[in-house]
């Protein structure tokens, strides 16, 4: 939901102009993600998880607010994200030691996977996201964010952890079409 909120919320920023194709692109991406999550079977809210849904909704608004406000504070260097990641890591360690049981990986590949997760999706991704929000086209970055669930699904398919089904095929089409639609102005300039 947060990519859609970023695209629509970008209209509130000075100098940004939200166009119909940005909204259509974000909605297509949202629908594509829905197909991945639901498996094409619809979506029903389970009353047992209402609190979790509420937290997810709050997280979507928090990420949207952070992303849009980063444009307002563009003078803060992207290097500052390294500090935020270090603080988050410290807090995660404190909460882990307080509330969870520590289980150490027993294979080198597991340690390498943990290190790779810390450096790439957690570290580098936040760094590049901040740079994109401060310097890029917010509508395109927001709509293109729907590629994340698609890429993770494709990786699971590649490693035999999921099957390529018709809902995944529809999601591929919708997310790709949505990103292209949101980037229409940029694509038209290059042609």
């Amino acid at each position: 939901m947060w990519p859609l909120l970023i695209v629509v919320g970008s209209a509130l920023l000075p100098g940004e102009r939200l166009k119909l194709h940005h909204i259509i692109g974000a909605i297509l991406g949202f629908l594509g993600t829905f197909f991945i999550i639901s498996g094409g079977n619809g979506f029903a809210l389970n009353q047992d998880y209402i609190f979790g849904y509420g937290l997810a909704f709050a997280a979507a608004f928090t990420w949207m607010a952070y992303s849009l406000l980063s444009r307002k504070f563009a003078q803060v260097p992207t290097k500052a994200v390294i500090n935020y990641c270090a603080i988050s890591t410290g807090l995660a360690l404190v909460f882990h030691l307080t509330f969870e049981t520590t289980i150490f990986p027993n294979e080198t590949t597991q340690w390498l996977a943990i290190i790779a997760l810390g450096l790439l999706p957690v570290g580098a991704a936040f760094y590049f996201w901040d740079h994109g929000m401060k310097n890029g086209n917010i509508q395109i970055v927001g709509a293109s964010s729907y590629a994340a669930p698609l890429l993770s699904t494709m990786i699971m398919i590649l490693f035999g952890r999921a099957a390529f089904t018709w809902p995944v095929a529809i999601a591929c089409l919708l997310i790709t079409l949505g990103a292209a639609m949101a980037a229409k102005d940029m694509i038209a300039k290059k042609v």
Side-chain angles (χ1 to χ4, degrees), residues 119-143:
L119 293 175
L120 297 173
V122 177
F126 286 117
Y127 186 88
F128 289 118
W129 181 262
D130 187 73
H131 181 75
M133 285 289 110
K134 288 177 179 172
N135 303 298
N137 184 309
I138 289 181
Q139 292 92 1
I140 294 172
V141 174

Side-chain angles (χ1 to χ4, degrees), residues 7 13 30 39 56 79 83 97 120 142 158 164:
V7 172
L13 295 174
F30 181 79
K79 291 188 293 188
N83 297 327
L97 294 173
L120 297 173
L158 183 69
F164 189 78

Side-chain angles (χ1 to χ4, degrees), residues 96 100-106 110-111 114:
H96 165 71
E100 299 176 329
T101 302
T102 302
I103 300 173
F104 289 102
N106 54 10
Q110 292 172 340
W111 279 108
I114 290 169

Side-chain angles (χ1 to χ4, degrees), residues 26-43:
I27 290 171
L28 288 171
F30 181 79
L31 291 173
T33 302
F34 179 79
F35 268 92
I36 289 175
I37 293 170
S38 70
N41 297 321
F43 185 74

Side-chain angles (χ1 to χ4, degrees), residues 156-172:
M156 289 173 50
I157 291 168
L158 183 69
F159 286 97
R161 300 289 184 177
F164 189 78
T165 61
W166 69 267
V168 173
I170 291 172
C172 287

